């Protein structure tokens, strides 16, 4: 029933997209700004994109890529929680996103995007540290700690969603923007493959606490890499100097 309901939501979205009018056609940009059709070699020559991809790949692997598989397994094997607790914990994760997303977007507008991405790393790292700590306390306390952890993770999600896509689109050359976005999308696919595979191997060997602390450290390293982008970006590209951010959706 849940899968059928989910399929219906996709159909509803398809109807909404089909109803969109007047947004097609080539993007307008200043004369002389188009340097030719370009290609992926030109995209990969951009040091900013290479650094973003490296940081984003590591952060997403230590974030989304490890969350949906790793946290449920950790909850039931390391923290000793019942299976039905998984749904309750993820309910609070989703609730925080729904409640906080618009508020967060208003608060981060005009602020350094690279610094906001560091905040994402801090939030996700804190989640993994709390997850590791949950294995050392009683079942009830573990449930509370993990719920707090995934709620903090959700705050990081609300920061990531509007900032990361906007950053890539702002420093992309207009005639290569599609390829820049393709590279940004590829990061999700790779992280979504590596994260669960790594979690399966490590958690399968009973090293859940080590796994959680490793992800916390990896997230902070990724945050440092993304923060270093600040010196490679203009104020507008980094969202500073009153520049407005798009929502990235």
């Amino acid at each position: 029933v849940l899968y059928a309901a989910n399929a219906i939501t996709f159909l509803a979205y398809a109807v909404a997209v089909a109803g969109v009018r007047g947004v097609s056609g080539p993007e307008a940009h200043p004369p002389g700004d188009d340097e030719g059709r370009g290609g992926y070699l030109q995209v990969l020559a951009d040091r900013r994109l290479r650094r973003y991809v490296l940081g984003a790949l590591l952060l997403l692997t230590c974030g989304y890529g490890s969350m949906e598989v790793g946290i449920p397994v950790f909850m039931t094997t390391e923290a000793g929680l019942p299976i039905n607790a998984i749904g309750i914990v993820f309910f609070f994760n989703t609730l925080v996103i729904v409640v906080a997303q618009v508020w967060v977007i208003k608060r981060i507008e005009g602020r350094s995007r690279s610094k906001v991405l560091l905040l994402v790393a801090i939030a996700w790292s804190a989640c993994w540290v709390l997850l590791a700590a949950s294995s050392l306390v009683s079942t009830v306390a573990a449930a509370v700690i993990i719920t707090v952890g995934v709620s903090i993770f959700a705050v990081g999600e609300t920061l990531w969603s509007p900032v990361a896509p906007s950053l890539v689109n702002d420093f992309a050359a207009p005639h290569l923007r599609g390829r820049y976005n393709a590279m940004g999308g590829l990061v999700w696919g790779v992280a979504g493959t590596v994260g669960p595979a790594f979690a399966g191997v490590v958690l399968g060997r009973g090293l859940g606490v080590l796994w959680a602390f490793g992800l916390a450290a990896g997230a902070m390293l990724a945050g440092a890499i993304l923060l270093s982008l600040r010196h490679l970006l203009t104020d507008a590209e980094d969202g500073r100097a009153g520049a407005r951010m798009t929502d990235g959706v």
Side-chain angles (χ1 to χ4, degrees):
V1 172
L2 289 174
Y3 281 116
N6 193 38
I8 292 172
T9 66
F10 276 81
L11 291 174
Y13 181 70
V15 172
V17 172
V20 175
R21 295 289 185 271
V23 296
S24 60
E27 178 184 9
H29 50 272
D33 198 29
D34 192 335
E35 300 175 4
R37 296 190 57 171
Y40 280 105
L41 289 178
Q42 187 176 345
V43 171
L44 293 173
D46 189 335
R47 183 169 57 155
R48 299 167 300 177
L49 180 67
R50 294 199 306 270
R51 190 167 302 187
Y52 170 83
V53 167
L54 176 62
L57 178 59
L58 181 56
L59 185 56
L60 290 176
T61 300
C62 296
Y64 288 108
S66 300
M67 180 191 184
E68 294 186 358
V69 171
I71 289 182
V73 174
F74 189 98
M75 288 175 61
T76 54
T77 59
E78 299 287 341
L81 295 175
I83 292 177
N84 59 2
I86 297 172
I88 297 173
V89 166
F90 277 90
F91 164 77
F92 281 98
N93 171 267
T94 305
L95 179 63
V96 171
I97 294 173
V98 172
V99 172
Q101 184 67 82
V102 174
W103 184 86
V104 167
I105 289 177
K106 292 180 179 178
R107 294 303 180 277
I108 63 177
E109 186 171 358
R111 300 184 183 275
S112 168
R113 289 168 176 160
S114 52
K115 286 186 176 181
V116 172
L117 293 178
L118 175 62
L119 292 178
V120 176
I122 293 172
W124 290 357
S125 181
C127 172
W128 297 124
V129 171
L130 289 172
L131 192 72
S134 71
S135 65
L136 305 175
V137 297
S138 66
T139 302
V140 175
V144 173
I145 290 174
I146 293 174
T147 300
V148 172
V150 298
S151 298
I152 294 174
F153 191 99
V155 174
E157 292 180 79
T158 64
L159 293 169
W160 172 272
S161 297
V163 171
S166 300
L167 178 61
V168 173
N169 276 278
D170 261 0
F171 68 65
H175 64 292
L176 293 171
R177 186 163 288 142
R179 289 178 171 85
Y180 273 78
N181 279 282
M183 292 298 298
L186 180 64
V187 169
W188 281 89
V190 175
T193 301
V194 174
F198 179 68
V201 171
V202 179
L203 291 172
R205 295 181 178 180
L207 302 174
V209 173
L210 181 63
W211 168 79
F213 278 122
L215 293 179
M220 290 306 300
L221 176 59
I225 294 172
L226 292 170
L227 180 63
S228 69
L229 270 172
R230 190 169 187 266
H231 304 292
L232 301 177
L233 303 170
T234 65
D235 286 352
E237 291 168 347
D238 196 35
R240 291 170 275 158
R244 294 181 59 86
M245 292 187 297
T246 61
D247 61 8
V249 178

